[in-house]
Amino acid sequence: MGKIIALANQKGGVGKTTTTINLAASLATLEKRVLVVDADPQANASSGLGIDIKQAPCTIYECLIDGVDIHQAICQTEIETLQVIPSHINLVGAEIEMLHLPHREDIMKEVLTPLLDRFDYILVDCSPSLGLITVNALTAADSVIIPVQAEYFALEGISKLLNTIKIIKSKLNPRLEIEGFLLTMYDSRLRQANQIYDEVKRHFQELVFKTVIQRNVKLSEAPSYGMPTILYDAESAGAKNHLALANELIGRNQNR
């Protein structure tokens, strides 16, 4: 039975999509069957994994709004055990279209349920908002990874996200857990980055991943070539960090 993990933080630019792409590729490299669901209208997770949106037969939008069979939307990546359900700019309007639908918060859960036996991990890349699509992702998910940028405003807005998670847990999805807080864009030379890490660790203790994602130029270069960093430069710090994160995630889930 697969595990659905949402990657969420309504603050933009914290490394959600970068983490989704590279964690998924690392899990797949470790022989896990992985599906990325791109739930961000910008579709960066799709293009970052080499998917040409124009060539995709359909996207998560058609599955959520038109009831298209989810299996039709699955696209193959260069890594054999890694597949993607791409996004589309139309997803911007999907929240308004979903407003009149019954059980509107449960649509993504219903769409993804038939895939649970096919994959070990389903990673949902959420948009930087707490709108209805993100609520759908959190309602469908077993857990959520929260990327936190190692910068001054890192903790700003996290309380709002945690409050949303608390509401969803009490009203829509009692099994939702926080998988962990992940420190991204970390530069150990900067005193401020170390202070942020200590603060996040003090606040959230065991919920913070031991792995941190360092600032790394290869991480920002790889998506422009439509590939995860592990294929672009397997020896880079970015690739190694995400492989360590994948191993930590697998270890956490084996111990539960």
Side-chain angles (χ1 to χ4, degrees):
M1 194 73 159
K3 181 171 192 176
I4 301 176
I5 303 175
L7 287 94
N9 188 334
Q10 79 274 20
K11 191 174 187 302
V14 298
K16 273 190 304 294
T17 300
T18 300
T19 302
T20 305
I21 291 170
N22 290 292
L23 174 57
S26 298
L27 287 166
T29 305
L30 295 168
E31 300 184 338
K32 299 295 180 187
R33 299 166 303 158
V34 186
L35 176 70
V36 168
V37 178
D38 192 347
D40 184 345
Q42 294 177 80
N44 290 336
S46 307
S47 59
L49 285 167
I51 305 301
D52 181 354
I53 311 299
K54 296 184 184 73
Q55 302 298 318
C58 66
T59 68
I60 190 67
Y61 171 80
E62 285 84 7
C63 299
L64 294 174
I65 303 301
D66 302 328
V68 170
D69 183 357
I70 191 75
H71 294 89
Q72 292 181 33
I74 296 174
C75 299
Q76 183 61 47
T77 71
E78 280 188 52
I79 301 172
E80 191 183 342
T81 54
L82 174 58
Q83 294 172 301
V84 186
I85 293 176
S87 183
H88 193 278
I89 191 65
N90 287 353
L91 209 56
V92 168
E95 302 203 347
I96 296 163
E97 294 177 72
M98 289 164 82
L99 282 176
H100 67 280
L101 297 175
H103 308 294
R104 61 190 180 200
E105 297 90 356
D106 292 316
I107 297 171
M108 191 178 292
K109 180 182 175 184
E110 288 166 16
V111 162
L112 295 181
T113 298
L115 300 176
L116 287 172
D117 291 333
R118 223 177 123 175
F119 296 96
D120 299 308
Y121 291 96
I122 296 175
L123 304 184
V124 185
D125 184 31
C126 299
S127 65
S129 78
L130 292 177
L132 188 53
I133 301 288
T134 300
V135 169
N136 259 263
L138 293 171
T139 303
D142 299 295
S143 65
V144 53
I145 291 175
I146 302 170
V148 179
Q149 190 178 0
E151 289 190 359
Y152 182 67
F153 293 114
L155 298 176
E156 202 178 70
I158 282 188
S159 59
K160 197 171 179 185
L161 174 61
L162 293 178
N163 193 43
T164 301
I165 290 169
K166 190 175 166 187
I167 292 166
I168 288 170
K169 194 174 165 70
S170 65
K171 301 252 195 308
L172 297 167
N173 180 8
R175 73 183 191 290
L176 182 65
E177 301 292 342
I178 293 174
E179 189 74 45
F181 292 84
L182 174 69
L183 208 69
T184 61
M185 306 179 201
Y186 178 74
D187 186 340
S188 59
R189 297 167 302 177
L190 300 178
R191 191 175 70 185
Q192 189 185 70
N194 292 304
Q195 286 172 340
I196 299 287
Y197 180 73
D198 291 341
E199 201 173 333
V200 171
K201 194 78 181 152
R202 193 175 73 250
H203 273 302
F204 304 113
Q205 298 166 1
E206 295 307 308
L207 286 175
V208 182
F209 283 104
K210 292 183 176 68
T211 306
V212 296
I213 308 300
Q214 295 162 279
R215 274 198 182 279
N216 178 239
V217 70
K218 302 292 184 187
L219 279 177
S220 48
E221 285 176 3
S224 63
Y225 293 92
M227 60 175 73
T229 313
I230 203 161
L231 292 184
Y232 179 66
D233 184 351
E235 291 303 308
S236 65
K240 289 176 177 174
N241 289 165
H242 284 95
L243 203 53
L245 176 64
N247 275 307
E248 186 177 350
L249 179 67
I250 291 166
R252 281 186 177 206
N253 285 284
Q254 282 171 344
N255 296 331
R256 282 176 184 166

